[in-house]
Amino acid sequence: LVLLAAYVGYLGLGAVVLQALERPAEVQAAQNLLREHWELLANHTCLQGPALQRLIEGIIQAYKSGITLQGNTTSLGRWDYSGSFFFSISAITTIGYGNLSPSTAVGRIFCIVFALFGIPLNLVVLNEIGHLMLLGVQHCACRLEEVFHWQNKASFLMKTCALVTGLLLFLLLPPLLFSDKEGWSYEEGFYYSFITLNTIGFGDYVIGMNPDRTYPSWYKNVVSLWILFGMAWLALVIKFCINILE
C-alpha cells in the first residue's frame, strides 16, 4: 500500500508540475493559431472558412504521412528503405514515435505480425547484449584484481568506468551529431536521446524527417545501432536503480 501510494503520488506530482509548465504555452499557441486563422480570412476574402479548414486538415494528414510541399512539388522519403528500416526498429523496440504509421490495411496487419514476433526477439537480443556488457565489466574487474591485487576497488572502478563510458557514448556525445545533422540545440538532442533510449518515444523529435536537409546514407543505420546498444546499456542502469529502490 505504501509503494502504491508513493507511485500514485509521484504520478500526481508529475501531472501538477507539467500542467504548471506546459499549460500556459498551450493556451498561448491556441490563441495565436485562432488569431492567424481569422486574420487570413479577413485579408483574403476569397477564402471560405470550410474550404480553408479542409486544406489545413489535408496538410496535417499529408505531413503525418511524410509528404510536404516544396514549391510546386512534394517531398517523399519516409517509406524508402532506410526510413522503413528505422520504422521497423522503432516498432520492435516499442519506442513508437507516432510520427509515422502504416496507412494500408495490409501494412497494419503486417505490422501486428511483425511486432508480435519482433518484440520478443528484440528483448532476447537486448538481454544478450546487456549480458555481454556485464561480462566484459566483470572480466576487466577480475584482471585488475589479479594485476593490482585490488578487492572491492576493482569492481567499483570498472562499474564507474562503464557508467561514464555509457553516458558519453549514448547520452552526451550523440546530441552533437544530432545538432550537426538535424540543426537541433544540444538540449534538444539530449532530450531526444534520453526519450528514445527509454522507449518513451513522444515523437516530437525524430531524426531524418526534415525535408529541407540532406542526410547521409549511413545516418539512420548508425542511429539504429546506437538505439540497440544504448537501450541495452540503459537497461543495465535501470536494473541497478531498481535494485537500489527495492
Side-chain angles (χ1 to χ4, degrees):
L1 290 176
V2 172
L3 182 61
L4 181 60
Y7 180 76
V8 175
Y10 191 77
L11 292 176
L13 175 63
V16 169
V17 173
L18 286 171
Q19 182 183 21
L21 294 175
E22 298 297 329
R23 183 65 176 179
E26 180 188 35
V27 172
Q28 184 63 41
Q31 292 174 348
N32 291 339
L33 177 62
L34 190 60
R35 184 180 68 253
E36 292 175 2
H37 176 267
W38 287 114
E39 287 179 356
L40 182 62
L41 290 176
N43 295 330
H44 300 81
T45 55
C46 60
L47 291 175
Q48 299 296 323
L52 178 60
Q53 184 66 27
R54 288 194 299 271
L55 175 61
I56 294 173
E57 292 174 355
I59 292 174
I60 293 173
Q61 186 61 40
Y63 182 78
K64 288 181 179 180
S65 301
I67 303 171
T68 56
L69 288 173
Q70 291 182 323
N72 294 325
T73 62
T74 56
S75 66
L76 301 173
R78 291 193 179 185
W79 286 113
D80 57 8
Y81 183 79
S82 62
S84 300
F85 184 86
F86 191 73
F87 172 80
S88 298
I89 195 169
S90 69
I92 67 172
T93 54
T94 69
I95 296 173
Y97 291 113
N99 68 309
L100 188 62
S101 59
S103 59
T104 63
V106 177
R108 295 188 187 107
I109 294 173
F110 173 78
C111 191
I112 293 172
V113 177
F114 182 75
L116 184 63
F117 293 96
I119 291 174
L121 176 62
N122 176 71
L123 292 176
V124 171
V125 171
L126 289 181
N127 184 61
E128 288 299 317
I129 293 176
H131 183 64
L132 289 175
M133 289 180 176
L134 192 58
L135 285 179
V137 171
Q138 292 173 347
H139 177 73
C140 291
C142 291
R143 293 293 297 171
L144 286 177
E145 290 180 1
E146 293 175 0
V147 174
F148 297 100
H149 303 289
W150 292 342
Q151 295 298 324
N152 297 327
K153 290 183 179 180
S155 178
F156 176 77
L157 178 63
M158 288 311 306
K159 289 179 179 179
T160 303
C161 289
L163 178 62
V164 172
T165 302
L167 283 173
L168 286 173
L169 290 178
F170 302 121
L171 287 177
L172 298 180
L173 293 180
L176 298 177
L177 175 64
F178 301 139
S179 297
D180 178 58
K181 300 302 179 184
E182 304 290 342
W184 299 340
S185 66
Y186 185 85
E187 177 270 328
E188 290 171 328
F190 184 84
Y191 167 79
Y192 167 78
S193 301
F194 185 80
I195 293 299
T196 294
L197 296 185
N198 275 285
T199 72
I200 298 172
F202 289 124
D204 48 352
Y205 289 91
V206 184
I207 60 105
M209 296 299 173
N210 190 342
D212 297 326
R213 288 182 171 268
T214 301
Y215 300 99
S217 57
W218 52 265
Y219 181 50
K220 286 187 178 180
N221 296 329
V222 170
V223 173
S224 297
L225 289 176
W226 164 76
I227 290 175
L228 186 63
F229 286 92
M231 285 179 60
W233 170 80
L234 195 59
L236 292 177
V237 175
I238 292 175
K239 184 178 180 180
F240 177 72
C241 294
I242 290 174
N243 292 335
I244 293 177
L245 287 174
E246 289 181 340

